[in-house]
Structure formats: structure tokens, C-alpha cells
Amino acid sequence: MSASTPVDEPVGFSDPAGDGPLARERSHLAASRSALRAMREDVEALDITDVTANWVNAAALHHQIEERVKALADLSGTPLFFGRLDYLHAPGAEGAEGAEGERFYIGRRHVHDADGDPMVIDWRAPVSQPFYRASRKEPLDIALRRRFGYTGGDLTAYEDERLCDPSEAATTSRLLQREIERPRVGPMRDIVATIQPEQDEIVRAGLSGSVCVQGGPGTGKTAVGLHRVAYLLYAHRERLARTGTLVVGPNRSFLHYIEQVLPALGELTVAQATVDDLVAHVEVRGTDGATAAVIKGDARMAQVLRRALYSHVTMPTEPVTVVRGSRRWRVPAYELEELVQQLLDRDIRYGAARDALPQRVAHAVLVRMERAGEAPDDRVQDAVARNAAVKAAVKAVWPAVDPAKLVLRLLGDPEFLAAHAEGLLDEREQREILWAKPARSVKSAAWSAADTVLIDEATDLIRRTHSLGHVVLDEAQDLSPMQYRAVGRRCTTGSATVLGDLAQGTTPWATRSWEEALLHLGKQEAVVEELTAGFRVPADVIRYASRLLPHIAPGLAPVASIRENPGHFEVRGSRGTDDVLSACRELLGNEGSVGLIAADSRVPELAEALTAAGITYVAPGEETTRATRLTLVPASLAKGLEYDYVLLHEPGEIVDAEPDERTGLRRLYVTLTRAVSGLTITHTTDLPPQLT
């Protein structure tokens, strides 16, 4: 084959004799599938009857075996390998005399034969890296890179690049383009076969450092974050097995959309959650106005909470007298005050300090015992720490505080709030966040989403939040400073991958700069990377949407689409719902998924019309099928989702639904950039002037 043979030409693919390159590659695929099946059967046949000491160990080992069997599943329609590398020399022996090149098939997981020899190499292995990084300028000792094309799970094509052959001109990979543009139905799929060099650098960045990825629509930032998790689990399996990994997304619909990516890569242990899930200490039954939500989400609230919490600590005015047998041991008030002040100066968690205080008082008693000639040991100190007089003194000086009750009082008691917000929040801001009607109890309170973040902050001030080994935070531009703090304390001893686009911030508290966001997250040292090459959104669509950038994020570079296919793009004047239904039917005539996106208030009307017209549809988060390929999407839930074809109805309404024009234009930018193959806009009223 030439350096890049078009997929739709028979050269290199027709093999009537059954002994050509394509037949040999199919044979290797069949042998690899048999080897994977044998690996799975070996695990299923394991007998653990005599290797476990008790039922707990047996249950744990049985669970591990089940997870391993799942990880070795041969997923239908998912190619076992997608590429091949032919090295000039044995890896690690470049330039060595007599070193013989080796051939490796690159796939989603490692597969070996009965003798342990590799049939497929995991894409995350070091030997696989040149598949993503090698070029004619830097061939990385690769003689040939072969890409494979599949149709319905069957290997039907291949395409070669001879990177060390100067006689062959560089060409664009047709298979790569087709894989990027392939119609999609159902949840998000992995991009392991199409990762680009700049994406691979981020994916393979070390575990010890945090990374922030600024990426416009279609640059693959979400996929990069998920593949980074998969890579880190491969490279640091034991460490992350102990510390845990977490993917944080903007909403449940988004998490459902991405939930199959990691399992397809053989990773089944990564937890997924929204920020609301992380801080779900109480039931959310209320809402805040935009102004109140912005103030509650401000980082100043952390200091208000800290002041309110430590206001419960009071200096002792009475001594503590401990009675043991016939002796009485007295610790004067001034010495107790010194102990309390020492703990305050150490700046440890409120609860940890409260736990330490009885032991410090007991130690002061033991010092007196030793001076009197006694020889107390640790058991005596523990007994003194549990003494009723000591416990009473600690309760009075350093009382236990419930975090939800603390926030309840702060938001319901004007005087308490004023005392601890002085110099931080002005009177207007204090009035904004105070409840109009104070709640009587934690259970009866109409907590808002922002309130739960405050409770989480208070909880961490009292007891340290458990830290994970790595956290991926997607659509981060929409988080408030307090939400960043909530995520950050879950990776204080680990690292983070932050993904987002400043141009897509649609909350009143949207991130203004990544430097500020990383400061609140506690990851100031994170490296900020920018992805500007667009793989998903067609060129005509992204050019049209980029008209909004000067109005919503003037400092950001527009995404440059690398798609050869410009995509379908059309703006239609509409006479009403009938035209929308007609456009839906038209788009459903194409292959792939269709998203009908409209302002949230317009969705009920469109749902009724679709039902009456007999057009079946699903809501975001529900899985599309080949029979039901239409999703009706409220504009507020469109972020992070993608469809082959998007029908965007009434852009002006999407802008007008937001509290201000800038936020509305950002919401519109999000909805305009959900299309993979084509975008159709219908409108009865004038388009926003920024688009015309």
C-alpha cells in the first residue's frame, strides 16, 4: 500500500485468494479474540476454596475475580486492536548492531497467548506511545504505522504510513477522519484510536502533577480527561487502588453519557459523581436567587464559617479538679487556657483539637502525679482523660459542633451572621443570604444547593475530608469558588485534571480565569494546557459559533476545525412548530443521532408536538437506540453532550432565558457547538445580532 490508501478504493483490501495482508490481519484478530477468551476462561476457572483464611477474604477475592472477568470481556462492536507498529529495531535497542525490529498490535487491553507472548499491546504501554506521537519529522524508530478500519466489528480496511521512507509524501489519514466523523448513537465512546499528539501529552502526564485543560468545543477535552484516568490506573495501579479515583461531572445526564468510556477501556473501579453528590449532607428542597447563590459561593464564606465555628471555643475560667482514690489533682484555669491556646495556634481541625484537649489536660495531671512521687503510665493518662471532670471541662471550653446546625444558625440568625461576617460581607450581602423565615431544625430547613456546599466546608473544618489519589473535574468553568474548594479537599494529597472552557461558563459565578480557579481548588501549581484543534465540530459550524467569542470570551483563540468535511449548516426562517417537526423528520433521514435543542421553557410544547406527530424521542441521560435516535434537550442540559445532527430552535429565546446577555450568549455558544455532522437553526423571531 501507499502511505495512505483511500478507504473506498479496493487497493490493499481486495483479497480473493485469502492470503493477502488483509486476510492475515483478520487471522490475527481471530487468534487474538480466542486468546482473550482463553484468558477469561482461565480466570473463571480459578478455585479459591483452599487459598482463603476466612469468608471475608474469600468474598474479597471472589469480587476481584468477578471484576477481572468483566475487564476481560470482548465487547461486541469494539475492535480488539486498532493499529500496528513495526519497529526498525527492538524497542530499547535502537542502533544496536543486529537488533531486529518487532511488530506490535495496539489495542484497548493487553492480550497474550498460552505461552505468555503478547498478541495485543495495551495502548497505555510505553511501547505503544509512538502510535500517537511518531511523525515523519520524528519517526521514533517506527518503520511502519498501520491503522485498521472496522465495519460492524469486522476488520475491513487498513492504511499504512511508512514513516522512515523519504520517497513517500505525508497524507491525511482517511481512516482517522472516518473514525472521527463516524455517526454515533448511544453513549459517548472512547477516542483511543484517534488520540492526537497534543492530547497524548496530556493523557500521559505524570500522576504527581495536576493539569488544567482549556479546550473549546470539539477539542476532545472530556475524552482526554477520561483517557488520562485510564492511563494513570495502568501506570500507578497499586497506588490508585489504595487511594481511589473520581470523575466529577456537571449533572447526572452528562455522567450517564460518559459512563461507558472507562469500562470499554477495561477500567471498572472509577467512581463518578456531581458536585451536588459530593456535598449531599442534607436534602435539597430550596433554591437561591442568583445574587444569593453568588454570595454563598464566594470564597469569603469559608472565612465566615471558620469564624462562626471557632466562636464556640471559650477560654476556661475555672480549674479542673480530678479525684483519684484519696488524692485530688488540680489544674488551674491559666494552665488550661495555655493548653487551649496552643491547640488554636496549631491550626488543626476543630474536631481533632477537641479530641486532643482531654489528653493534654490528663498529661498535666500526670505531671503533678510524677512530682508527688507516683509512677503513672499511659493507662492512667487515658483514664484521667475519660474522667467526668475533664470531660465536663472540655465540653464547656471546646463543645462539639454539628456542621449543619452551624450553617442553619448562620443563615437564620442576623446577629450571629453579622458578628462573624464583619469586614467580609457588607450589610446588603448579609441580607441577601439570610433566610426570610428561619428554619426550626436541620430536617425542616429548605436547604439550597449552595447551602450544602457551606455545610461541606463546615464539615471539613471539623473533620478532614478523605483525599483521593486523583480527581478529574469536567466542565469546571461553571463552579463557584466554594464548589472548587469542595472538590479540592477531596484531592488534597492527590492530583487533579481540570477540564473546561471559559467561553462556556453559564452560571452567574462562572470562572473568570483558570489561575483563580486553581487557587480555590488548592492546585496553584497545575500546568494549564490549551487545546485548539477541533475534531468534533464541523468547520462551518464552529466558524459560525465563533462569531460569539468576542462577546463572551475575547481573550480565547477560536477552535480551528481539522475536519475535511465542512459539515451541513443551515439557518431557516420558521413559521412555527410544524416546520420544526418537518426539520426533525429530515434530519432523522440521515444516519446517526439527532438532538433537538431549545430553551427550557419551550421544551414542554415541543414534547407535546413530537408525541402528537408520532416522533419518538428520549430525554438527556436516556440512551438512544437505532429505533429512537432523537433526543429533546433543554438548553440548560446541553453542555458536554454531542449529536450527529442538531436542530437548534429559537436561539433568541435561549439568550433571553438567562439573567444577562453575556450568560445567554454563552449558553447559545454551548448549544451551537453540540453537532458532529450538521447544524440546522430554525427561528421565527430575529436572530441575536451577534450572529448576523
Side-chain angles (χ1 to χ4, degrees):
M1 279 187 68
S2 64
S4 179
T5 302
V7 177
D8 51 1
E9 292 185 9
V11 180
F13 308 116
S14 178
D15 188 17
D19 58 358
L22 188 60
R24 290 194 292 271
E25 301 294 17
R26 286 171 173 165
S27 176
H28 186 78
L29 175 62
S32 299
R33 290 195 182 281
S34 296
L36 179 61
R37 184 165 56 252
M39 290 170 62
R40 189 168 62 252
E41 290 171 351
D42 287 345
V43 176
E44 291 172 335
L46 287 174
D47 185 359
I48 62 173
T49 306
D50 299 323
V51 298
T52 53
N54 53 55
W55 70 268
V56 176
N57 291 343
L61 186 55
H62 183 69
H63 175 72
Q64 291 176 7
I65 291 173
E66 286 184 338
E67 292 298 299
R68 178 63 176 158
V69 169
K70 290 178 184 176
L72 291 172
D74 189 358
L75 303 176
S76 61
T78 301
L80 196 55
F81 57 77
F82 47 81
R84 193 185 97 186
L85 290 177
D86 291 4
Y87 274 80
L88 284 171
H89 308 88
E94 185 176 353
E97 186 176 351
E100 196 173 312
E102 293 187 59
R103 173 177 298 171
F104 299 98
Y105 287 83
I106 313 302
R108 287 167 172 78
R109 68 203 66 195
H110 176 86
V111 179
H112 59 256
D113 62 18
D115 297 324
D117 295 326
M119 304 280 291
V120 180
I121 299 294
D122 195 301
W123 66 277
R124 298 166 288 188
V127 75
S128 302
Q129 184 171 317
F131 185 79
Y132 304 106
R133 303 275 188 96
S135 65
R136 292 187 177 278
K137 186 176 180 180
E138 293 185 64
L140 302 178
D141 201 42
I142 300 301
L144 179 140
R145 172 168 54 199
R146 175 169 287 180
R147 299 182 189 275
F148 296 106
Y150 289 81
T151 302
D154 296 326
L155 199 164
T156 55
Y158 67 89
E159 185 178 68
D160 288 346
E161 295 172 87
R162 292 179 174 82
L163 299 176
C164 293
D165 187 346
S167 66
E168 292 194 359
T171 57
T172 302
S173 168
R174 289 281 192 89
L175 285 178
L176 190 63
Q177 285 286 336
R178 288 203 172 185
E179 175 61 23
I180 290 172
E181 298 174 8
R182 180 162 57 95
R184 59 209 62 212
V185 174
M188 179 181 178
R189 58 177 182 255
D190 65 71
I191 63 164
V192 67
T194 61
I195 294 174
Q196 299 300 294
E198 63 273 20
Q199 295 175 324
D200 190 62
E201 288 184 15
I202 298 171
V203 167
R204 296 177 192 264
L207 176 61
S208 59
S210 294
V211 180
C212 175
V213 182
Q214 159 63 41
T219 55
K221 56 186 178 294
T222 295
V224 164
L226 294 174
H227 287 68
R228 175 159 164 72
V229 172
Y231 171 77
L232 292 176
L233 285 168
Y234 175 87
H236 307 277
R237 179 77 60 189
E238 291 186 7
R239 179 176 171 182
L240 289 177
R242 294 193 307 270
T243 56
T245 51
L246 172 68
V247 174
V248 181
N251 52 58
R252 300 307 307 178
S253 296
F254 176 85
L255 291 178
H256 181 72
Y257 176 64
I258 68 170
E259 67 183 359
Q260 295 303 317
V261 174
L262 288 169
L265 299 173
E267 300 300 342
L268 307 169
T269 61
V270 181
Q272 296 184 352
T274 65
V275 174
D276 290 343
D277 294 332
L278 298 180
V279 300
H281 302 284
V282 293
E283 182 182 357
V284 175
R285 295 186 297 175
T287 56
D288 286 314
T291 303
V294 169
I295 298 169
K296 289 180 180 180
D298 194 291
R300 293 173 295 167
M301 288 301 299
Q303 186 60 27
V304 174
L305 286 165
R306 186 177 187 83
R307 288 180 180 179
L309 174 61
Y310 281 90
S311 71
H312 291 80
V313 179
T314 57
M315 289 301 174
T317 57
E318 299 292 334
V320 171
T321 302
V322 176
V323 179
R324 284 186 61 81
S326 61
R327 302 294 299 270
R328 297 166 65 87
W329 307 98
R330 182 176 180 274
V331 182
Y334 76 86
E335 190 170 344
L336 294 174
E337 183 176 341
E338 290 177 0
L339 297 177
V340 171
Q341 190 60 54
Q342 288 171 7
L343 288 170
L344 289 172
D345 292 342
R346 285 188 61 192
D347 196 29
I348 59 177
R349 294 295 195 281
Y350 183 95
R354 185 176 186 275
D355 293 342
L357 185 55
Q359 288 291 336
R360 295 205 170 200
V361 174
H363 179 73
V365 172
L366 260 66
V367 170
R368 285 163 171 75
M369 290 180 175
E370 289 170 347
R371 288 173 182 169
E374 296 189 16
D377 56 18
D378 290 344
R379 290 175 296 177
V380 174
Q381 180 169 326
D382 290 340
V384 173
R386 296 193 299 270
N387 182 273
V390 174
K391 290 168 67 175
V394 170
K395 183 177 181 181
V397 172
W398 208 299
V401 177
D402 178 88
K405 290 181 179 177
L406 177 69
V407 177
L408 183 78
R409 184 181 177 191
L410 202 61
L411 299 179
D413 184 340
E415 293 183 1
F416 188 66
L417 176 61
H420 304 298
E422 184 179 358
L424 294 170
L425 304 179
D426 60 33
E427 292 184 3
R428 180 195 62 82
E429 290 173 315
Q430 292 176 35
R431 288 195 300 272
E432 282 287 348
I433 65 173
L434 278 167
W435 287 335
K437 184 179 180 182
R440 294 182 178 180
S441 68
V442 170
K443 287 187 177 181
S444 65
W447 298 105
S448 68
D451 295 336
T452 64
V453 182
L454 298 180
I455 295 173
D456 192 70
E457 180 81 27
T459 301
D460 185 69
L461 287 169
I462 297 169
R463 299 286 180 191
R464 185 182 298 276
T465 304
H466 173 67
S467 176
L468 300 165
H470 193 77
V471 172
V472 174
L473 175 60
D474 204 354
E475 300 295 348
Q477 72 279 346
D478 278 332
L479 268 60
S480 70
M482 291 297 285
Q483 287 176 316
Y484 276 117
R485 290 174 63 88
V487 176
R489 55 180 157 263
R490 285 159 172 87
C491 55
T492 50
T493 58
S495 55
T497 300
V498 181
L499 313 166
D501 180 11
L502 297 178
Q504 296 187 57
T506 53
T507 55
W509 49 82
T511 301
R512 291 173 292 187
S513 74
W514 290 122
E515 290 71 23
E516 180 184 344
L518 293 170
L519 177 65
H520 296 310
L521 192 69
K523 300 296 180 186
Q524 301 94 311
E525 79 290 349
V527 176
V528 180
E529 303 280 1
E530 186 170 7
L531 296 176
T532 57
F535 305 98
R536 176 173 55 78
V537 185
D540 288 352
V541 174
I542 197 63
R543 274 196 294 268
Y544 185 74
S546 294
R547 296 181 184 182
L548 299 177
L549 280 180
H551 308 281
I552 60 176
L556 291 184
V559 172
S561 177
I562 67 167
R563 299 274 294 273
E564 288 187 340
N565 183 352
H568 170 80
F569 174 64
E570 184 179 6
V571 179
R572 299 180 182 178
S574 170
R575 293 185 299 276
T577 306
D578 287 345
D579 287 343
V580 176
L581 297 176
S582 176
C584 280
R585 293 189 182 95
E586 186 178 320
L587 293 177
L588 287 169
N590 300 310
E591 184 182 1
S593 58
V594 178
L596 170 55
I597 306 178
D600 291 30
S601 60
R602 176 74 69 163
V603 168
E605 172 192 328
L606 292 174
E608 185 177 342
L610 289 169
T611 302
I615 301 175
T616 58
Y617 66 92
V618 296
E622 298 177 6
E623 193 166 322
T624 55
T625 64
R626 297 201 176 277
T628 304
R629 295 182 288 117
L630 175 67
T631 304
L632 178 56
V633 187
S636 64
L637 294 181
K639 192 170 297 180
L641 305 180
E642 59 183 32
Y643 304 93
D644 288 292
Y645 294 90
V646 166
L647 174 57
L648 182 62
H649 187 51
E650 298 292 4
E653 290 184 0
I654 293 173
V655 176
D656 294 341
E658 301 298 331
D660 59 82
E661 184 182 63
R662 184 185 178 94
T663 304
L665 291 174
R666 286 184 168 186
R667 181 77 70 189
L668 179 58
Y669 181 72
V670 171
T671 59
L672 286 169
T673 54
R674 299 305 94 200
V676 176
S677 297
L679 170 67
T680 300
I681 297 173
T682 57
H683 64 102
T684 57
T685 58
D686 290 341
L687 293 172
Q690 294 83 356
L691 286 179
T692 56

